[in-house]
């Protein structure tokens, strides 16, 4: 099973999100649907729309790009794991943009992982390298070197495999690579048995490009 995780980040409005999902679902998934788990991570407001549109496609899942540090309660403006349960199947936690712009550190990130687990949302924990500590019992880890994010400087397979060694992940951890993954370069990662999937940001904004990355799993 390969994973293709699209992180829209803070992009798109309602019309654009509708257009994206209509275009994406018009493509042919017959050849890939048994071998791929697609996870689309839109901004929070579009999660219900995408969820409703994709229920007929068991291989397409919806993820959030974060969850609140709080589980629920008087925290105006927060989107909690509790609110997301039943809507998001996965949650990206610890993305380098959250660590950098919102100063999220390990303790907070580990609490978020706990909240996600409590509501059956599977955390996808992002690390920038071996110095980012991993939460206990994490099942999905995405290696996203800062130098590769949004730069066009996608990392080499060799570097990624070196980093996987250094991270000393328990067996059966799902190991994802993210950072300037495109329809042109996705295949070199996806053919490697050691790399379980890719996490494109920019290239997930265009439904056709994202579909081509999904096709690169075969
Ligand atoms: P990018 O983003 O594909 O645009 O480099 C990846 C990410 O930040 O998850």
């Amino acid at each position: 099973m390969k994973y293709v995780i699209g992180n829209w980040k803070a992009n798109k409005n309602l019309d654009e999100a509708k257009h994206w999902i209509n275009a994406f679902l018009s493509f042919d998934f017959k050849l890939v649907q048994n071998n791929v788990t697609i996870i689309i991570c839109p901004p929070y407001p579009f999660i219900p729309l995408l969820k409703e549109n994709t229920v007929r496609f068991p291989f397409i899942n919806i993820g959030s790009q974060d969850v609140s540090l709080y589980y629920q309660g008087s925290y105006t403006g927060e989107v909690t794991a509790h609110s997301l349960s039943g809507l998001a199947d996965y949650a990206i936690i610890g993305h380098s943009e959250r660590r950098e712009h919102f100063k999220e550190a390990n303790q907070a990130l580990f609490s978020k992982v706990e909240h996600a687990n409590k509501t059956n949302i599977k955390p996808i924990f992002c690390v920038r390298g071996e110095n980012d500590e991993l939460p206990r019992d994490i099942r999905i880890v995405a290696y996203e070197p800062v130098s590769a994010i949004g730069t066009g400087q996608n990392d080499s397979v060799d570097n990624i495999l070196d980093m996987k060694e250094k991270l000393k992940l328990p067996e059966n951890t799902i190991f994802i690579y993210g950072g300037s993954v495109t329809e042109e370069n996705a295949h070199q990662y996806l053919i490697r048995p050691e790399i379980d999937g890719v996490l494109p940001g920019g290239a997930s904004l265009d439904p056709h490009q994202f579909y081509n990355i999904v096709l690169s799993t075969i």
Side-chain angles (χ1 to χ4, degrees):
M1 177 61 63
K2 293 288 181 181
Y3 290 75
V4 178
I5 307 167
N7 176 9
W8 289 6
K9 307 191 179 183
N11 293 295
K12 298 197 187 294
N13 62 20
L14 180 59
D15 274 353
E16 291 163 344
K18 281 182 183 163
H19 183 268
W20 190 101
I21 193 65
N22 288 339
F24 188 64
L25 296 180
S26 73
F27 299 137
D28 186 355
F29 292 97
K30 260 189 235 90
L31 289 177
V32 285
Q33 60 188 13
N34 295 325
N35 309 313
V36 69
T37 296
I38 298 169
I39 305 169
I40 309 164
C41 304
Y44 291 126
F46 312 132
I47 289 180
L49 168 83
L50 296 197
K51 179 78 182 170
E52 279 162 28
N53 277 272
T54 54
V55 278
R56 297 175 287 125
F57 301 87
F59 54 96
I60 303 181
N61 299 267
I62 306 304
S64 63
Q65 297 172 17
D66 189 26
V67 299
S68 174
L69 175 57
Y70 305 102
Y71 185 66
Q72 63 177 338
S74 304
Y75 302 104
T76 303
E78 287 295 284
V79 180
T80 66
H82 183 63
S83 300
L84 288 162
S85 67
L87 285 167
D89 312 294
Y90 293 83
I92 296 173
I93 293 176
H95 191 282
S96 62
E97 288 158 10
R98 304 260 0 137
R99 294 176 189 261
E100 187 193 334
H101 302 307
F102 304 96
K103 305 290 171 247
E104 294 188 357
N106 289 342
Q107 238 17 69
L109 296 174
F110 295 172
S111 300
K112 291 179 175 209
V113 167
E114 265 179 46
H115 297 333
N117 281 330
K118 193 166 156 186
T119 48
N120 286 325
I121 295 172
K122 299 176 198 68
I124 300 164
F125 196 79
C126 297
V127 293
R128 299 163 295 186
E130 76 264 43
N131 294 330
D132 284 338
E133 216 179 303
L134 290 167
R136 232 180 297 147
D137 299 328
I138 192 76
R139 289 267 298 124
I140 311 174
V141 171
Y143 168 49
E144 300 216 320
V146 172
S147 62
I149 295 180
T151 57
Q153 308 291 313
N154 57 301
D155 209 350
S156 67
V157 171
D158 284 352
N159 280 350
I160 295 165
L161 296 184
D162 276 356
M163 184 53 66
K164 187 179 179 187
E165 290 281 303
K166 288 186 188 147
L167 289 170
K168 299 189 174 64
L169 304 173
E171 223 182 304
N172 297 328
T173 305
I174 296 167
F175 179 68
I176 309 289
Y177 168 69
S180 295
V181 173
T182 63
E183 56 190 342
E184 286 86 20
N185 65 33
H187 190 63
Q188 62 180 310
Y189 305 118
L190 291 164
I191 48 163
R192 299 301 301 234
E194 305 92 333
I195 301 175
D196 297 297
V198 292
L199 200 168
S204 74
L205 294 174
D206 175 67
H208 198 257
Q209 269 197 59
F210 189 60
Y211 173 67
N212 282 339
I213 295 173
V214 170
L215 288 190
S216 308
T217 56
I218 49 168

